[in-house]
Amino acid sequence: MTSAASEEACFFVEFKNTNKAAKNDLKGNGILVVKYDNVVLMNMDSKSIGKAKITRGEAPANAVDGQESTQKITMKKKEVFFWPGNSVQLGTKAIMIKFAVPIAEFHSGKVFYRGVKEIEKQHVEETKPKGKNVGKNSIKSASGFVTPFKKNAVVKKREKLTKPLHNPRAPGAVVLFQPTDLFSVNKIAVVVDPLLAKNLRPHQVDGVRFCFECLAGLRGYAGKGCILADDMGLGKTLQAITVIWTLLNQGPTGEPTVKKCIIVAPSSLVGNWCQEFKKWLPDMIDPIPMGDANKKKVNAALAKFSGHAYNVKNNVLVTSYDQLRIHIKSILKFKDIDLIVCDEGHRLKNSKIKTAIAVNSIPTPRRLLLSGTPIQNDLEEFHAMVSFVNPGILGDIAKFKRLYSDEIERMRQPESTPEEKTVGRARASHLAKLTGEFILRRTAKVNQQYLPPKVDNLVICKLSDLQAKIYQSICKKAQTVIFQESGRKGRETSTLAAITHLKKLCNDPSLVYEEYLENFAEEKKYNPDAYQPQYSGKMQFLDGLLAGIRAAGKDKVVIVSNYTQTLAVLAEMCRIKKYAFYQLDGSTKVSKRQELVNMFNEPNSPEFVFLLSSKAGGCGLNLVGANHLVLFDPDWNPANDAQAMARVWRPGQQKKVYLYRTLSTGTIEEKVFQRQVAKLSLATNIVEGDTDAVPDFSKNELKELFCYKSNTISDTHDLLNCPCAKAANKVPLHKRQAASVDELKSWEHYPDVTSEKMSRFPILQKAGAKSVSFVFLKEEDPKANAKKTKQMLLKKEKLTFSTEDGEDGEGDYSYAEEESEHEEKEEKEKKSKS
Ligand SMILES: [Zn+2]
């Protein structure tokens, strides 16, 4: 039971004199009396041997509910907490509070003549029945106050901390290190900055703790490096930022663990890293970008980075692999780089390339490698990456091959003997155990087990007659112009322009009307400046959908588009329909974004629609205030679409979620989507995070792309050769196989939205009556699934080295190859430029 707030308390303690000069009272048991604003330490002869005033009392009242023998002391109108396991520095004495003693026993003096053994015995007896409940955590909880002798010296001058930088007892505090042995050098609790802690999801807390323990050298293997290989979407960046920020400010000894930190990332992500830092730690850190080849900028960046070793603000340099390689000599002059973080770290899988050599030459043992792919599929690459983070831990490559990879490979062969299988398996499991100490990989399922049900709708919308006409004219022009164009550059440019026009046209004809005006002068009724949803199939559907959702209740909607111009059209729609809305795009100030999000998520705020540019969206945005999301146009990069959808279907979402992807029937949009599903070699784009890139197409692919299929209800459905629709087009087998959209076979098919079958989804049915030609639909309930399959509840993916020949995802392998080709290409381009 928690005792009510009282003004006095008494504890049985153990103390040690930390002043080496002192001869008496080096170590012993004693009684600590807390009285008003004083703390008095007495030895067991009731002699006062230490005193202090209490200076800190911000621990909140609800932090201790249900904790046995916690004492709440009111001092100067504030409350201070004491609890077993709490350690206190009192003058020259380190004190460990063992347990509370009734204050009456102090008043009566009984506590002094009963003797240590009897006090302890009585305590054990009193707490026996509830002994089980005193978990690790209550002991682990951290210290609350310090003596007043070093007032506020801590943060500003960056002297050695004498108390935790953040309150480890605050609700939601994430404590990464808790001293258990007061007498060792590691005696200050390390607590994640609450600014960051409040944003961490449970698996991220685990990830941060894992990386911290590795990098601080607390996990006991020979090294201080680690690999965080979580699936995309699990927030590796936030985890890394949290670890970096913690290490820059804190350490178990009270000193910051890291003075300067370098982050190496693909050049396109350098800016993103800086933004993320500023987003999570506004005004607290100003990371220095060095992704640009411009010499002046590079020199300025390096000069800034050379600032005072304890100036946390400028102690993070974010650079690209290229720039790091080029300027490695200058970088090596910095003596206090204590941490290097490599984003998309599988780039270091070949230890012989110059980039890897350069990164490796930075002498710090603290190395954090981030990777979004399973890394254990190719054992030699695996060796390279592990050896980068923890040099020598696997021995040299020859030894590694002998010991592990040869044996594991042998086991994988179909003709391997039982004996070889046994040895191979044992080696694989040993390797997994050894490296599991510093490699953490979680799959996206981690997040999903807590999520509400979701309905995925792939809504195929007919083009309006006007759209169809313009569409055909663009295609015609593209087919002739593009294939006459002789220069490759010229072809690329006009292809790209035509693709963009088609995609915009699918959204709304007003977006390209100007360019193609002469082709449809007869459309007199059409006014590109007015809101006329009937001229765009998708707009017409959206119009109906919003009306239906609005009429049905209080649900809110996020609408995502790749084009700011499309958002402008949608904003106009909201104005006309009198839907209160917010819009977040590239022009929205970063500082303003969170504010918009917060206001929108407010359950009673009047805003019904949130218009979001997929490029400005980023991964951090949390829009759980809405439970409908419309992905108005598809992106070439499936990861972007997946990220957009994760804005609403994410932890914190309470309602059933409805996702609508709208695609125009028989158009390029279906092709983009098919490409997404087939995951056709978009690896490079995913890695680079390049959202603008249109994949390279062969001439034949281009021909297909600029071809409008006007006679289908869904080009994608045609590819499935599914009998559900009467009017399905026949597609030759080889094309069907190449498209590999078979995943959609397991979805529900609705060739006719007006059918009885669709009446389960009345809003969709009504909205799509005129404009929708086909719907693919999939319902999912992760909670129900999780109950069924324990697999999904596994938090950490076990690091395994597959035992079956060829079982390992081939996709990952080809992915890796493309990656290195890309780098080679980059290098070649560099050379030809210089
Ligand atoms: Zn079908």
Side-chain angles (χ1 to χ4, degrees), residues 265-336:
S267 52
S268 59
L269 294 181
V270 168
N272 187 56
W273 268 95
C274 294
Q275 269 174 24
E276 288 282 309
F277 265 106
K278 288 177 191 166
K279 176 174 127 196
W280 298 111
L281 294 161
D283 300 325
M284 299 172 77
I285 190 157
D286 189 13
I288 307 162
M290 195 180 95
D292 210 300
N294 180 315
K295 248 205 169 145
K296 262 191 189 165
K297 283 187 189 167
V298 167
N299 289 337
L302 290 171
K304 208 169 171 191
F305 190 55
S306 71
H308 192 271
Y310 287 110
N311 178 9
V312 178
K313 235 181 159 174
N314 289 145
N315 275 350
V316 175
L317 182 76
V318 187
T319 184
S320 66
Y321 284 96
D322 288 337
Q323 292 304 310
L324 180 100
R325 191 185 64 233
I326 296 164
H327 300 287
I328 186 66
K329 276 188 185 160
S330 314
I331 286 168
L332 285 176
K333 284 179 190 152
F334 295 103
K335 292 294 171 228
D336 34 22

Side-chain angles (χ1 to χ4, degrees), residues 717 720 722-725 749 774:
H717 186 257
L720 295 174
C722 169
C724 81
H749 293 190
F774 199 92

